[in-house]
């Protein structure tokens, strides 16, 4: 396995393992959110340690997500109140959405700062894409509120993972027509050889 392939798998592990562990623990423990929260906290800590050990650095987004899981999971366990865990996606998506909008208001473009090396686009397109992502994050925050307040724990857990991840992937795919207009031929992956 090449170093690049190994890094890809480690990144996947760091990004999704804690949520997968949480999902499995929830259903294995008879839909017990407290026990599943213990698994989420342990899985988040493990994912951060693996990421640091393999990549020799703390990647910002997994650190933020893992840190938030530890904080909100810890609050859930300390106060024995699953609402802390349930509002984590609301708070985090709300922060991401607002951060993008505040960045634009300050005449900065956080999305371009993060992805600028991988995509070359005019500033107006970066602004449009940033607004779209900000609105998507705010919509996901509102949707999380609606789901956890009106649905069973089982529905919310499945919405949390894989539901939110699937919605983010679908949204990103919906932005491909905009991005494809600005990708150059040398930026595209080579065609398959077989």
């Amino acid at each position: 396995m090449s170093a690049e392939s190994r890094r890809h798998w480690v990144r996947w592990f760091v990004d999704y393992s804690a949520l997968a562990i949480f999902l499995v623990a929830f259903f294995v423990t008879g839909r017990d959110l407290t026990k599943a929260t213990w698994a989420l906290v342990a899985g988040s800590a493990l994912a951060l340690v693996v990421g640091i050990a393999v990549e020799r650095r703390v990647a910002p987004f997994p650190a933020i997500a893992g840190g938030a899981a530890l904080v909100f999971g810890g609050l859930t366990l300390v106060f024995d109140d699953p609402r802390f865990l349930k509002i984590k996606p609301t708070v985090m998506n709300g922060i991401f959405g607002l951060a993008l909008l505040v960045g634009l208001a300050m005449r900065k473009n956080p999305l371009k700062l993060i992805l600028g090396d991988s995509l070359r686009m005019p500033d107006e397109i970066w602004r449009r894409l940033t607004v779209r992502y900000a609105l998507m994050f705010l919509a996901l925050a509102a949707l999380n509120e609606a789901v956890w307040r009106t649905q069973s724990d089982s529905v919310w857990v499945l919405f949390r993972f894989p539901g939110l991840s699937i919605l983010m992937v679908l949204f990103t795919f919906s932005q491909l027509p905009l991005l494809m207009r600005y990708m150059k031929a040398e930026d595209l992956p080579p065609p398959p050889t077989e």
Side-chain angles (χ1 to χ4, degrees):
M1 181 181 293
S2 72
E4 184 63 32
S5 178
R6 189 171 47 252
R7 229 175 315 175
H8 174 74
W9 282 105
V10 168
R11 175 66 31 230
W12 182 90
F13 178 82
V14 170
D15 289 346
Y16 298 107
S17 63
L19 290 171
I21 290 168
F22 172 70
L23 175 71
V24 170
F26 177 76
F27 287 106
V28 166
T29 62
R31 296 177 169 85
D32 185 326
L33 267 177
T34 301
K35 290 178 183 172
T37 301
W38 279 107
L40 174 67
V41 169
S44 296
L46 174 65
L48 288 173
V49 168
V50 167
I52 292 168
V54 173
E55 294 188 333
R56 306 276 190 247
R57 69 183 182 94
V58 177
F61 288 115
I64 292 168
L70 291 172
V71 168
F72 286 94
L75 289 170
T76 295
L77 296 172
V78 167
F79 293 105
D80 194 28
D81 188 347
R83 290 180 295 182
F84 287 107
L85 187 64
K86 291 178 179 182
I87 66 168
K88 178 196 170 263
T90 302
V91 171
M92 297 308 296
N93 284 318
I95 288 171
F96 292 149
L98 290 175
L100 291 174
L101 293 176
V102 167
L104 286 177
M106 296 174 61
R107 302 209 184 278
K108 305 284 184 202
N109 193 317
L111 201 56
K112 183 178 179 181
L113 292 173
I114 296 167
L115 301 173
D117 290 340
S118 60
L119 293 170
R120 288 180 226 98
M121 300 186 300
D123 286 340
E124 173 55 30
I125 302 305
W126 276 112
R127 190 187 72 69
R128 188 182 313 166
L129 190 63
T130 301
V131 168
R132 289 178 181 182
Y133 268 93
L135 294 175
M136 182 266 313
F137 281 123
L138 294 174
L140 290 179
L143 184 57
N144 182 66
E145 281 298 298
V147 171
W148 84 260
R149 290 176 185 274
T150 64
Q151 303 300 310
S152 68
D153 286 347
S154 296
V155 170
W156 178 77
V157 167
L158 289 169
F159 167 76
R160 175 65 189 97
F161 185 76
L164 281 174
S165 298
I166 291 169
L167 290 173
M168 290 207 45
V169 167
L170 291 174
F171 176 81
T172 298
F173 279 134
S174 77
Q175 301 310 301
L176 286 179
L178 174 69
L179 298 176
M180 293 299 285
R181 286 186 232 153
Y182 295 97
M183 292 182 81
K184 296 181 177 29
E186 65 267 12
D187 296 335
L188 297 173
T193 57
E194 308 222 356

